[in-house]
Amino acid sequence: MKNNIINILKKRNLIKNISKNINKIKKINNKKIKIYCGFDPTNNSLHIGHLLILITLKRFIKKKYNIIILIGEITAKIGDPSFKKNYRKKIKNKKIKKYKKNIIKQIKKILNYKKYKIKFISNKKWFKKMNIIFFLKKICKYFKIKEILNKKFIKKRLNNNKKNINIKEILYNILQSYDYSYLFKNLNINLQIGGSDQWGNITSGINLIKKKYKKIALGITIPLLTNNKGKKFGKSKKKNIWLNKKKTKPYEFYQFWLNINDNKLPLYLKQFTLIKIKNIKKILNKNNIIKNKKILAKYITKIVHGKKQTKKAIIATKIYFNKNIKLNLNILNKLNNINIPKIKIKNNNKVKIKNILILLKISKNKTNSHNLILNKCIKINKNLITNTNYIINKKDILFNKYTIISKGKKKFFLINWK
């Protein structure tokens, strides 16, 4: 069937791994299929890697499938070791509760909770009541050491003498497997969706259900989103594109999509939007890369940050990148009211540009600032700065209030002088 959800995902390059039980998969349009996807609250925000999973879930929701979101409060305390180089840092319970609240809020917004009423559940519900004897006798007995050690991510860590793996991390795989078996038994969940780095955990859950209940459960993973260097986006990464507007400003979020590699545009239009494939082909046939990237950026920013913030991000982009726009007071006031990278500094005409770059986090230190200026990377109010000892003066403070600092062609920062 053309409208089969699996066919839709395949056409949009959204399947990395899928259960081998083909007969069951063919019947996936059957509304008896119930789906769950898990998120561990290990950070106060999700990132664009999670966004790809959430938009995939939106496709299931549009087809009227039942979706349950599992918040891994207990598994967050251990940390998923899947393809991690180092041990996870311990997170306090207070932080986990805060992270959980933030993440649920983000998921509700993206999945349109008001309309579809997605169910949320925490694995604290069953693990909090569980004692160690039950865990060892009733759950661990289904897991063989050899099978666990053969998991790709565990093998990788075991082969690295400097970064080994501990029992606590191995238990994560068992705990997540139990999540699936609990949901299977108590809520009739029979399909788990996750990123491709979760395939080892998902298959463990499928095997546990098979051994314990003699029943078939299913799993699908979607490809991991990677940056321009081919590295996975992760919650522990500092240079990340977050869904929280305080961590990644809507303007920066919008700019990220404008600056993706040209060759990724067709893929991202298929994966991140609900635009029909035939309409995507029409967009791409126009062969206007900049215009097409704007369509993508606007679409995704609206999903995450809403119409108002998207409009402001577009306005800021026009102000910064349109050479014909004169920086009058009205334009600068508009810019100041937009959620863009900016700082407030006490009005002082003797501030060195080197120090400004450090305050704006454009550079790490004065040496770095010096090199950026020498390499002709820094502009003040769109005027190139070549003097490494340049001091901000009155003419740089427009209308006695604003200064725009730019690094290269893509990064802009606003200074609001108090």
Side-chain angles (χ1 to χ4, degrees):
M1 288 176 69
K2 285 184 180 179
N3 291 326
N4 182 290
I5 189 69
I6 296 302
N7 290 334
I8 291 168
L9 297 183
K10 282 179 179 177
K11 282 179 184 177
R12 291 183 178 264
N13 299 93
L14 281 168
I15 294 181
K16 178 69 177 177
N17 308 99
I18 191 164
S19 298
K20 289 179 181 178
N21 198 295
I22 297 166
N23 294 329
K24 191 76 175 175
I25 291 294
K26 282 181 179 177
K27 295 175 184 176
I28 206 162
N29 259 347
N30 189 322
K31 297 303 179 284
K32 288 180 181 177
I33 296 287
K34 288 188 177 179
I35 301 154
Y36 104 87
C37 185
F39 297 86
D40 283 355
T42 53
N43 196 292
N44 65 352
S45 175
L46 300 175
H47 54 71
I48 55 170
H50 297 111
L51 181 60
L52 188 55
I53 294 171
L54 290 170
I55 289 174
T56 303
L57 290 175
K58 275 175 84 77
R59 298 182 195 281
F60 281 93
I61 290 167
K62 292 277 183 183
K63 292 282 184 183
K64 298 181 180 178
Y65 286 93
N66 291 311
I67 304 288
I68 287 177
I69 301 295
L70 173 71
I71 303 297
E73 284 187 83
I74 299 301
T75 38
K77 292 180 182 182
I78 296 173
D80 185 1
S82 301
F83 303 99
K84 299 290 184 298
K85 291 181 180 178
N86 302 308
Y87 297 125
R88 287 271 196 178
K89 289 181 181 178
K90 189 179 177 181
I91 307 171
K92 292 179 181 178
N93 289 338
K94 196 175 179 181
K95 273 193 174 181
I96 288 173
K97 283 182 182 178
K98 185 183 175 183
Y99 294 168
K100 174 190 169 185
K101 189 179 176 182
N102 291 349
I103 285 171
I104 288 175
K105 190 178 177 182
Q106 288 177 339
I107 295 170
K108 280 183 174 181
K109 185 178 180 182
I110 291 161
L111 296 184
N112 198 352
Y113 177 76
K114 285 181 181 179
K115 185 176 179 180
Y116 296 107
K117 304 294 179 188
I118 299 101
K119 186 173 181 178
F120 289 83
I121 192 166
S122 170
N123 60 7
K124 191 177 179 180
K125 182 179 178 180
W126 47 90
F127 282 125
K128 196 177 179 183
K129 300 170 186 174
M130 190 183 291
N131 63 52
I132 189 66
I133 302 302
F134 178 90
F135 178 71
L136 293 170
K137 286 180 73 176
K138 301 292 183 181
I139 302 171
C140 290
K141 70 174 184 176
Y142 293 104
F143 292 85
K144 293 178 182 178
I145 293 293
K146 192 177 180 180
E147 288 174 359
I148 291 172
L149 296 181
N150 276 331
K151 297 284 180 188
K152 266 188 185 180
F153 64 92
I154 290 178
K155 266 187 176 180
K156 197 171 181 180
R157 285 275 291 275
L158 287 172
N159 291 335
N160 188 338
N161 294 326
K162 291 180 181 178
K163 309 289 181 185
N164 214 307
I165 192 164
N166 59 34
I167 293 295
K168 182 185 80 169
E169 291 177 297
I170 287 173
L171 288 176
Y172 181 95
N173 179 259
I174 299 173
L175 293 177
Q176 190 171 311
S177 301
Y178 184 76
D179 283 342
Y180 195 176
S181 70
Y182 180 92
L183 293 171
F184 179 89
K185 184 188 176 185
N186 295 282
L187 294 175
N188 299 315
I189 300 291
N190 45 15
L191 173 62
Q192 183 182 358
I193 293 178
S196 60
D197 59 340
Q198 291 301 305
W199 186 239
N201 292 324
I202 292 172
T203 52
S204 290
I206 290 169
N207 291 334
L208 177 59
I209 291 163
K210 190 178 179 181
K211 289 173 184 176
K212 198 172 183 191
Y213 302 114
K214 313 297 180 192
K215 297 283 179 76
I216 294 168
L218 306 167
I220 293 174
T221 68
I222 65 169
L224 290 180
L225 190 69
T226 56
N227 59 23
N228 289 339
K229 292 180 181 178
K231 292 184 178 179
K232 172 197 164 186
F233 287 94
K235 288 201 286 285
S236 57
K237 306 289 182 186
K238 288 181 181 178
K239 291 181 180 179
N240 212 334
I241 307 301
W242 302 96
L243 307 189
N244 184 328
K245 66 182 180 182
K246 290 180 181 177
K247 297 186 80 168
T248 298
K249 310 285 185 193
Y251 163 77
E252 294 173 299
F253 187 87
Y254 180 80
Q255 282 295 314
F256 169 81
W257 300 104
L258 287 185
N259 293 313
I260 60 167
N261 286 343
D262 293 354
N263 60 0
K264 286 190 174 181
L265 179 62
L267 177 66
Y268 287 175
L269 279 168
K270 284 196 286 184
Q271 290 183 330
F272 281 95
T273 77
L274 299 178
I275 300 169
K276 291 179 180 178
I277 296 288
K278 64 178 182 180
N279 292 335
I280 289 173
K281 285 178 181 176
K282 285 179 185 177
I283 290 166
L284 295 170
N285 284 339
K286 290 177 182 177
N287 206 24
N288 188 329
I289 295 292
I290 294 169
K291 191 177 178 180
N292 294 346
K293 282 185 179 181
K294 284 179 180 178
I295 291 169
L296 177 71
K298 184 180 178 180
Y299 191 103
I300 302 175
T301 308
K302 200 184 283 185
I303 287 173
V304 176
H305 296 295
K307 288 181 183 178
K308 283 185 181 179
Q309 290 296 339
T310 303
K311 191 177 178 181
K312 287 180 178 182
I314 292 168
I315 290 168
T317 300
K318 285 178 181 176
I319 293 169
Y320 283 143
F321 292 95
N322 192 329
K323 292 176 183 178
N324 299 320
I325 290 179
K326 291 181 181 179
L327 298 174
N328 58 44
L329 185 58
N330 182 43
I331 290 288
L332 290 164
N333 281 335
K334 264 188 182 180
L335 205 56
N336 189 47
N337 290 326
I338 293 169
N339 198 345
I340 57 168
K342 58 189 171 187
I343 56 167
K344 289 183 179 180
I345 304 177
K346 191 175 180 182
N347 203 331
N348 186 338
N349 294 333
K350 294 182 181 180
V351 180
K352 287 185 178 181
I353 186 65
K354 283 183 182 178
N355 296 332
I356 290 287
L357 296 179
I358 295 166
L359 280 171
L360 289 168
K361 296 180 181 177
I362 291 173
S363 66
K364 294 177 182 178
N365 49 49
K366 287 182 180 180
T367 303
N368 190 205
S369 296
H370 180 90
N371 292 334
L372 285 170
I373 296 163
L374 276 182
N375 290 322
K376 298 181 180 179
C377 296
I378 304 301
K379 287 182 181 180
I380 295 178
N381 299 327
K382 301 187 179 182
N383 299 311
L384 187 67
I385 299 299
T386 54
N387 179 2
T388 54
N389 293 312
Y390 190 86
I391 295 171
I392 300 287
N393 55 61
K394 282 185 179 180
K395 71 178 178 68
D396 296 319
I397 304 174
L398 304 175
F399 306 100
N400 203 35
K401 196 172 182 182
Y402 301 113
T403 303
I404 293 174
I405 306 287
S406 59
K407 178 192 173 187
K409 294 179 181 179
K410 296 174 182 177
K411 292 192 175 182
F412 292 82
F413 306 82
L414 183 69
I415 299 172
N416 190 335
W417 300 91
K418 293 185 283 183

